[in-house]
Amino acid sequence: MSSPEVSPESTASGLELPAYGRPDDVGPTAASERPGSFPFTRGIHEGMYRNRPWTMRQLAGFGRATDTNARYRALLAAGATGVNGVFDYPSLRAFDSDHPLARSDVGRGGVAVDVRDDFDDLFAEIPLDKVSVSLVSSQPIGAVAHLAMFVQAAQRRGIPKAALSGTSQNDFLMETAITIAPQALPPVGSFQLECDLIEYAITELPRWNPVSISGYNYREAGADAVLESALTLTHAQAVTHELIRRGHAPEAFLSRISFFLNAHSDFFEEIAKFRAARRAWAKWVRDDLGVVHEPSQRFRFHVQTSGVSNTARHAHVNIARSMTQGLSAVLGGTQSLHINGFDEAVSIPSEHAAMTALRSQYVLLHETGVAKSADPLGGSYLVEHLTDVMEERVQDVVAQIDAMGGVVPATERGWVHAELSRLSFEAQKAIDDEEQLIVGVNTMNDGADVPVEIFRLPTDTLAKQSARLAEVRSRRDTQAAASAVEEVGQAAVAKVNVMPAVERAVEQDATLGELGAVLRTSLGLWDFPLW
């Protein structure tokens, strides 16, 4: 009697799935791979979470610095083990809160910051020499000033640079391909600032990760798992080549490059993606660069669960969605994790939603047993097969980008934008055509919904930020501030690292918007290739 035919299936990114895993689906090297050893497919440390749990770094940011500081401290008191701070759109783009283009967005998508005094308030009562801080300063034009203000806030409390640990996101693609409105630097200019910040941190901040290459946001903008990984890898390769060109030995900085990935809903594909990225990076560092220093080969990454997968209808189901995605990140060997609040499809997370998400991480750690053995799915026929296929597909796209001259030229010509748009359209069409079922969207969406309480933002953020800006402008030495800002522009034009000049400008109470304006004038604005 013949077996019934099994219909073909594939992952969300189009990787063909076998009907069931078999021993011959597993590559020849899988049996010999070990956690903590090259090529690190199974994890960057031998003991993984037995020795040290992943960092629980819940994202927070809204209103003024004092509002967000209260949320930071509440999360830390409840068991968060790191700070993960997101800034509002004007702050990311380096506009002052009182700028006409900024006024409607102040304090809405993150915390509003304009001057170094805001960083004093943002991190008040947080021991910056003991708690690691992730500055989600995604666009280099804002990241350079944010880091200088953060460092000076610490120094004003007597905490030296050498004691500060954490990460700047600092990703030129965030400025030129993901969040490009209302203005963006050209890709070359934005990439220049990104590498300036990295170069500064190599020598000045020994415990700081000066870039977190944001595959997460590429995914949220439409990429599938393959493109997310390929853009992440080619971006890191471009940074590496540029820093070598500037005279730095790769062993001096590769261990400081970090990555930020998305945990989406295709469970086994996501686990395979994390494993394949580790292996592909390690191979490139050793085989292409010739670097045998093992810390330089380790692909260290943070994961956030997928925001675009969350639904506004039946929003409490997002708890299950995000928990499953968080589990894939842990099974995939992440170094730190943010689980989304269940209400993020409708508002900034309420404190209740944020605490529920944090406690979900502790359920993973304490109740599931997943932290007791490194890479518990290693050897799975299906996971090993998907890891191999994912790596192969990713390398094909990396080669395509390399043929264009790398990720910066690929961005300049609009290829990155076109791919994000194409894949985003295809994903949405699959939902519209009910080929991809989403609970609460195109299936299981009848019945009464349980309303989610909307988190209400403070209403006085713009007024108070404007008042602070006015006070700082009135008390400072106006000529000294203007001269220091002008030096930033001169450094950018001369292609001299801007960070020392930015530090001097911040010391003179230059505002974030003034620094952004001089960089836009000096480096120019970009005419986007698709509009």
Side-chain angles (χ1 to χ4, degrees):
M1 185 177 182
S2 61
S3 300
E5 251 185 54
V6 179
S7 59
E9 291 284 357
S10 61
T11 68
S13 302
L15 278 59
E16 186 177 345
L17 283 166
Y20 56 91
R22 299 169 299 178
D24 56 3
D25 290 328
V26 178
T29 62
S32 62
E33 290 181 343
R34 297 182 55 186
S37 298
F38 182 89
F40 305 102
T41 312
R42 304 195 62 190
I44 63 171
H45 302 298
E46 184 176 9
M48 288 301 289
Y49 308 131
R50 272 194 187 189
N51 297 336
R52 178 183 175 183
W54 62 92
T55 301
M56 299 181 191
R57 198 183 293 281
Q58 290 298 124
L59 193 65
F62 62 90
R64 300 187 71 227
T66 50
D67 302 314
T68 294
N69 172 263
R71 176 67 64 86
Y72 288 168
R73 289 189 287 111
L75 286 166
L76 290 168
T81 52
V83 168
N84 196 10
V86 63
F87 300 92
D88 67 6
Y89 288 172
S91 300
L92 292 175
R93 292 159 174 75
F95 287 92
D96 284 336
S97 294
D98 58 1
H99 191 286
L101 290 175
R103 296 171 69 88
S104 63
D105 282 321
V106 173
R108 292 188 173 275
V111 61
V113 292
D114 294 298
V115 292
R116 62 176 175 168
D117 291 5
D118 290 322
F119 280 78
D120 291 338
D121 292 342
L122 189 57
F123 295 102
E125 299 182 47
I126 295 174
L128 296 179
D129 52 346
K130 296 181 175 64
V131 175
S132 71
V133 173
S134 176
L135 299 176
V136 188
S137 310
S138 54
Q139 301 191 8
I141 194 171
V144 293
H146 292 171
L147 182 57
M149 292 177 179
F150 171 78
V151 167
Q152 290 188 24
Q155 289 178 317
R156 293 208 280 192
R157 289 166 52 184
I159 300 171
K161 290 180 178 180
L164 299 173
S165 65
T167 303
S168 291
Q169 193 170 103
N170 184 34
D171 183 326
F172 92 98
L173 278 175
M174 288 297 296
E175 181 165 6
T176 58
I178 309 299
T179 51
I180 53 180
Q183 298 172 343
L185 298 178
V188 168
S190 186
F191 185 69
Q192 174 186 328
L193 295 182
E194 175 183 333
C195 292
D196 283 355
L197 189 153
I198 297 169
E199 187 177 40
Y200 162 84
I202 290 170
T203 56
E204 296 291 327
L205 299 169
R207 300 178 64 202
W208 195 261
N209 301 314
V211 62
S212 181
I213 294 171
S214 305
Y216 179 89
N217 297 94
Y218 315 158
R219 188 67 174 275
E220 296 286 286
D224 61 9
V226 173
L227 183 62
E228 172 193 354
S229 300
L231 288 175
T232 299
L233 290 169
T234 54
H235 185 171
Q237 290 166 6
V239 167
T240 301
H241 288 310
E242 172 60 15
L243 290 173
I244 291 172
R245 188 195 67 78
R246 294 186 183 197
H248 299 281
E251 293 86 350
F253 64 84
L254 280 173
S255 63
R256 309 274 292 283
I257 293 176
S258 63
F259 302 87
F260 174 27
L261 298 179
N262 193 300
H264 218 279
S265 296
D266 195 321
F267 188 72
F268 292 110
E269 177 176 80
E270 292 301 294
I271 296 167
K273 177 189 74 180
F274 301 134
R275 299 172 90 246
R278 262 196 307 271
R279 186 160 69 196
W281 177 250
K283 286 180 178 179
W284 182 79
V285 171
R286 188 192 72 173
D287 299 341
D288 288 55
L289 292 182
V291 175
V292 296
H293 179 240
E294 283 204 346
S296 298
Q297 300 168 354
R298 293 175 183 148
F299 183 95
R300 300 171 306 112
F301 64 100
H302 169 72
V303 170
Q304 180 174 340
T305 59
S306 170
V308 297
S309 71
N310 286 357
T311 63
R313 183 165 174 78
H314 299 308
H316 292 91
V317 176
N318 293 327
I319 297 174
R321 224 174 245 120
S322 296
M323 186 70 162
T324 305
Q325 293 166 356
L327 177 60
S328 75
V330 172
L331 291 172
T334 188
Q335 276 60 69
S336 63
L337 177 63
H338 163 92
I339 288 181
N340 286 338
F342 62 80
D343 55 359
E344 289 193 44
V346 295
S347 70
I348 295 288
S350 65
E351 186 164 332
H352 169 60
M355 292 300 175
T356 300
L358 175 61
R359 288 167 183 140
S360 296
Q361 295 214 42
Y362 276 99
V363 170
L364 288 176
L365 178 62
H366 294 316
E367 299 184 27
T368 65
V370 295
K372 294 180 179 179
S373 293
D375 190 34
L377 291 182
S380 157
Y381 300 151
L382 178 62
V383 170
E384 295 292 356
H385 167 74
L386 288 176
T387 300
D388 292 344
V389 175
M390 177 67 73
E391 183 185 9
E392 182 180 342
R393 286 276 305 277
V394 168
Q395 294 292 20
D396 288 344
V397 179
V398 168
Q400 188 179 355
I401 296 170
D402 285 347
M404 291 180 250
V407 72
V408 177
T411 305
E412 291 174 322
R413 67 191 288 179
W415 181 87
V416 174
H417 310 72
E419 285 297 287
L420 292 173
S421 297
R422 177 181 67 82
L423 290 168
S424 178
F425 174 80
E426 290 176 0
Q428 186 59 50
K429 188 174 186 302
I431 295 170
D432 294 344
D433 294 344
E434 298 186 1
E435 295 172 6
Q436 173 64 60
L437 296 180
I438 306 293
V439 174
V441 175
N442 58 11
T443 187
M444 305 290 292
N445 57 1
D446 32 337
D449 198 4
V450 177
V452 172
E453 184 178 353
I454 304 296
F455 178 72
R456 301 297 176 186
L457 290 164
T459 58
D460 58 354
T461 302
L462 175 59
K464 288 186 174 179
Q465 286 302 114
S466 298
R468 168 160 278 180
L469 280 163
E471 188 270 327
V472 169
R473 289 169 184 148
S474 67
R475 79 175 186 221
R476 69 185 182 183
D477 183 328
T478 302
Q479 184 56 48
S483 296
V485 168
E486 185 178 353
E487 289 178 11
V488 173
Q490 291 168 349
V493 170
K495 292 184 168 51
V496 173
N497 193 306
V498 301
M499 285 302 299
V502 170
E503 285 192 302
R504 291 191 292 272
V506 168
E507 287 172 358
Q508 296 298 327
D509 278 326
T511 71
L512 178 62
E514 290 164 346
L515 292 166
V518 76
L519 289 170
R520 282 185 281 270
T521 298
S522 303
L523 297 173
L525 297 178
W526 191 35
D527 292 326
F528 309 126
L530 301 183
W531 294 274

